[in-house]
Amino acid sequence: MKTLKYYLDKAKTENFAIGQFNFSDFTQVKAIVEVAKKLNSPIILGTSEGESRFFGLKEAVAIRNVLRKETGLPIFLNLDHGKTFEYAKAAIDAGYDMVHIDGSKLSLDENIKLTKQVTKYAFWKLCLVEGEVGKIGTDASKLYTEKFEIKEEDLTKPAEAKRFVEETDVDLLAISCGNFHGIEVSGTDPHLRLDVVKKIKETVGVGLVLHGGSGTPESDIKEAIKLGIVKININTELRLAFANGLRQVLTTTDEIVPYKFLVGAQNEVEKIVELKINLFGSGGKA
């Protein structure tokens, strides 16, 4: 099977983005993979530190391995928002294809120091590394009832991005461009700062990552891909779909057999994944 780097390069060349879909239980994984099979799309399965501690690092790798073998699809696994070298190392040692080391709350110097430590270790393990510059902030488990305001000082600065990439040798860079984790209760978040994406892309040579893709206007997603976004993370919308699917079943039936009531949650997650893969343009790219 071709590597994750191959598919990220392909996304960059052919102007599509690979979706990273986070999970914390196998029902979500089944939903994501079923849609990838249907649309013949490469996918990245993502686990945050919290999700991976719940599911298990080695267990996530084992599931990826089984699904790769059974489907023949390019299915990859990424640690999302790893905060320490120790946990990133644990994910690399377990067999993750990529780790996202998030030092964005540190000073730029400290962020570079932490990320370099990870990239040096990951290199020998043939694991890719995603870094982050700029403050995305907020909480992917929340719905925001008031309009979320993006602070200018939190946006990724092109000069800092350039220095960071050159000194850390990361494979991908997550940026702050008006995006945020979570989603406004209306279901549609504010527009991205596409001018920021453009300036950063003109400054750095690596593929860019959009976190907080849930709720981002579709027109912005399409334009951001044209400007250099090669990976887009989706989590909140999947969590909402899963929870709503469960509520719909459990409030209308006395069913107690998990595989019967979990089907509703799986179906709702599949709808979101299919929508996103079609939006990102990765269908048929496996």
Side-chain angles (χ1 to χ4, degrees), residues 35-56:
V35 178
K37 284 166 58 180
K38 176 181 176 181
L39 300 180
N40 193 34
S41 173
I43 51 168
I44 298 171
L45 299 173
T47 60
S48 65
E49 281 199 14
E51 289 162 340
S52 61
R53 290 182 193 279
F54 176 79
F55 195 89

Side-chain angles (χ1 to χ4, degrees), residues 239-252:
R239 290 174 171 180
L240 285 170
F242 183 88
N244 290 337
L246 277 181
R247 290 190 185 101
Q248 289 171 18
V249 174
L250 294 177
T251 56
T252 58

